[in-house]
PDB file of all heavy atoms in Angstrom:
ATOM      1  N   SER V 104    -189.817  25.360   3.829  1.00 95.00           N
ATOM      2  CA  SER V 104    -189.019  25.927   2.714  1.00 95.00           C
ATOM      3  C   SER V 104    -189.779  25.725   1.432  1.00 95.00           C
ATOM      4  O   SER V 104    -190.396  24.656   1.203  1.00 95.00           O
ATOM      5  CB  SER V 104    -187.652  25.245   2.681  1.00 95.00           C
ATOM      6  OG  SER V 104    -186.874  25.544   3.739  1.00 95.00           O
ATOM      7  N   LYS V 105    -189.711  26.665   0.533  1.00 94.00           N
ATOM      8  CA  LYS V 105    -190.203  26.553  -0.857  1.00 94.00           C
ATOM      9  C   LYS V 105    -188.948  26.240  -1.736  1.00 94.00           C
ATOM     10  O   LYS V 105    -187.906  26.749  -1.505  1.00 94.00           O
ATOM     11  CB  LYS V 105    -190.841  27.788  -1.353  1.00 94.00           C
ATOM     12  CG  LYS V 105    -192.048  28.246  -0.638  1.00 94.00           C
ATOM     13  CD  LYS V 105    -192.537  29.528  -1.346  1.00 94.00           C
ATOM     14  CE  LYS V 105    -193.554  30.257  -0.543  1.00 94.00           C
ATOM     15  NZ  LYS V 105    -193.769  31.621  -1.080  1.00 94.00           N
ATOM     16  N   PRO V 106    -189.140  25.464  -2.769  1.00 91.00           N
ATOM     17  CA  PRO V 106    -190.365  24.743  -3.089  1.00 91.00           C
ATOM     18  C   PRO V 106    -190.592  23.640  -2.080  1.00 91.00           C
ATOM     19  O   PRO V 106    -189.574  23.011  -1.574  1.00 91.00           O
ATOM     20  CB  PRO V 106    -190.099  24.179  -4.464  1.00 91.00           C
ATOM     21  CG  PRO V 106    -188.584  24.094  -4.526  1.00 91.00           C
ATOM     22  CD  PRO V 106    -188.056  25.199  -3.662  1.00 91.00           C
ATOM     23  N   PHE V 107    -191.799  23.282  -1.749  1.00 92.00           N
ATOM     24  CA  PHE V 107    -192.114  22.211  -0.764  1.00 92.00           C
ATOM     25  C   PHE V 107    -192.804  21.082  -1.529  1.00 92.00           C
ATOM     26  O   PHE V 107    -193.341  21.305  -2.545  1.00 92.00           O
ATOM     27  CB  PHE V 107    -193.030  22.769   0.372  1.00 92.00           C
ATOM     28  CG  PHE V 107    -194.245  23.460  -0.128  1.00 92.00           C
ATOM     29  CD1 PHE V 107    -195.339  22.742  -0.543  1.00 92.00           C
ATOM     30  CD2 PHE V 107    -194.328  24.807  -0.324  1.00 92.00           C
ATOM     31  CE1 PHE V 107    -196.518  23.307  -0.990  1.00 92.00           C
ATOM     32  CE2 PHE V 107    -195.418  25.434  -0.824  1.00 92.00           C
ATOM     33  CZ  PHE V 107    -196.558  24.718  -1.143  1.00 92.00           C
ATOM     34  N   ASP V 108    -192.709  19.907  -0.913  1.00 90.00           N
ATOM     35  CA  ASP V 108    -193.534  18.823  -1.536  1.00 90.00           C
ATOM     36  C   ASP V 108    -194.842  18.713  -0.755  1.00 90.00           C
ATOM     37  O   ASP V 108    -194.989  19.181   0.395  1.00 90.00           O
ATOM     38  CB  ASP V 108    -192.752  17.533  -1.648  1.00 90.00           C
ATOM     39  CG  ASP V 108    -192.306  16.927  -0.365  1.00 90.00           C
ATOM     40  OD1 ASP V 108    -193.135  17.018   0.659  1.00 90.00           O
ATOM     41  OD2 ASP V 108    -191.240  16.340  -0.309  1.00 90.00           O
ATOM     42  N   ILE V 109    -195.801  18.068  -1.368  1.00 92.00           N
ATOM     43  CA  ILE V 109    -197.095  17.933  -0.789  1.00 92.00           C
ATOM     44  C   ILE V 109    -197.167  17.322   0.574  1.00 92.00           C
ATOM     45  O   ILE V 109    -197.769  17.740   1.472  1.00 92.00           O
ATOM     46  CB  ILE V 109    -198.085  17.181  -1.772  1.00 92.00           C
ATOM     47  CG1 ILE V 109    -198.277  18.044  -3.031  1.00 92.00           C
ATOM     48  CG2 ILE V 109    -199.378  16.906  -1.092  1.00 92.00           C
ATOM     49  CD1 ILE V 109    -199.004  17.322  -4.149  1.00 92.00           C
ATOM     50  N   ALA V 110    -196.341  16.214   0.672  1.00 94.00           N
ATOM     51  CA  ALA V 110    -196.283  15.480   1.956  1.00 94.00           C
ATOM     52  C   ALA V 110    -195.745  16.380   3.092  1.00 94.00           C
ATOM     53  O   ALA V 110    -196.247  16.355   4.211  1.00 94.00           O
ATOM     54  CB  ALA V 110    -195.318  14.292   1.809  1.00 94.00           C
ATOM     55  N   ALA V 111    -194.732  17.275   2.777  1.00 94.00           N
ATOM     56  CA  ALA V 111    -194.183  18.108   3.800  1.00 94.00           C
ATOM     57  C   ALA V 111    -195.240  19.158   4.193  1.00 94.00           C
ATOM     58  O   ALA V 111    -195.352  19.484   5.402  1.00 94.00           O
ATOM     59  CB  ALA V 111    -192.930  18.853   3.266  1.00 94.00           C
ATOM     60  N   LEU V 112    -195.995  19.684   3.285  1.00 95.00           N
ATOM     61  CA  LEU V 112    -197.068  20.630   3.584  1.00 95.00           C
ATOM     62  C   LEU V 112    -198.087  20.026   4.494  1.00 95.00           C
ATOM     63  O   LEU V 112    -198.509  20.530   5.520  1.00 95.00           O
ATOM     64  CB  LEU V 112    -197.665  21.176   2.291  1.00 95.00           C
ATOM     65  CG  LEU V 112    -198.803  22.201   2.440  1.00 95.00           C
ATOM     66  CD1 LEU V 112    -198.305  23.510   3.035  1.00 95.00           C
ATOM     67  CD2 LEU V 112    -199.486  22.415   1.128  1.00 95.00           C
ATOM     68  N   GLU V 113    -198.583  18.840   4.062  1.00 94.00           N
ATOM     69  CA  GLU V 113    -199.612  18.159   4.813  1.00 94.00           C
ATOM     70  C   GLU V 113    -199.148  17.808   6.269  1.00 94.00           C
ATOM     71  O   GLU V 113    -199.804  17.923   7.225  1.00 94.00           O
ATOM     72  CB  GLU V 113    -200.106  16.898   4.145  1.00 94.00           C
ATOM     73  CG  GLU V 113    -200.932  17.259   2.877  1.00 94.00           C
ATOM     74  CD  GLU V 113    -201.388  16.059   2.059  1.00 94.00           C
ATOM     75  OE1 GLU V 113    -200.740  14.976   2.156  1.00 94.00           O
ATOM     76  OE2 GLU V 113    -202.367  16.153   1.298  1.00 94.00           O
ATOM     77  N   GLU V 114    -197.848  17.361   6.319  1.00 95.00           N
ATOM     78  CA  GLU V 114    -197.250  16.977   7.599  1.00 95.00           C
ATOM     79  C   GLU V 114    -197.191  18.118   8.616  1.00 95.00           C
ATOM     80  O   GLU V 114    -197.578  17.989   9.762  1.00 95.00           O
ATOM     81  CB  GLU V 114    -195.875  16.340   7.414  1.00 95.00           C
ATOM     82  CG  GLU V 114    -195.225  15.756   8.610  1.00 95.00           C
ATOM     83  CD  GLU V 114    -196.020  14.625   9.122  1.00 95.00           C
ATOM     84  OE1 GLU V 114    -196.643  13.795   8.310  1.00 95.00           O
ATOM     85  OE2 GLU V 114    -196.150  14.487  10.367  1.00 95.00           O
ATOM     86  N   ILE V 115    -196.756  19.305   8.153  1.00 96.00           N
ATOM     87  CA  ILE V 115    -196.591  20.456   9.014  1.00 96.00           C
ATOM     88  C   ILE V 115    -197.976  20.923   9.479  1.00 96.00           C
ATOM     89  O   ILE V 115    -198.186  21.364  10.615  1.00 96.00           O
ATOM     90  CB  ILE V 115    -195.693  21.530   8.434  1.00 96.00           C
ATOM     91  CG1 ILE V 115    -195.162  22.427   9.562  1.00 96.00           C
ATOM     92  CG2 ILE V 115    -196.442  22.357   7.368  1.00 96.00           C
ATOM     93  CD1 ILE V 115    -193.987  23.278   9.165  1.00 96.00           C
ATOM     94  N   VAL V 116    -198.977  20.878   8.626  1.00 96.00           N
ATOM     95  CA  VAL V 116    -200.365  21.256   8.992  1.00 96.00           C
ATOM     96  C   VAL V 116    -200.885  20.260  10.056  1.00 96.00           C
ATOM     97  O   VAL V 116    -201.434  20.720  11.065  1.00 96.00           O
ATOM     98  CB  VAL V 116    -201.220  21.302   7.638  1.00 96.00           C
ATOM     99  CG1 VAL V 116    -202.699  21.441   8.120  1.00 96.00           C
ATOM    100  CG2 VAL V 116    -200.862  22.412   6.773  1.00 96.00           C
TER     101      VAL V 116
END
Side-chain angles (χ1 to χ4, degrees):
S104 296
K105 291 180 195 170
F107 52 83
D108 63 36
I109 293 171
L112 178 68
E113 290 178 336
E114 188 60 39
I115 203 162
V116 170

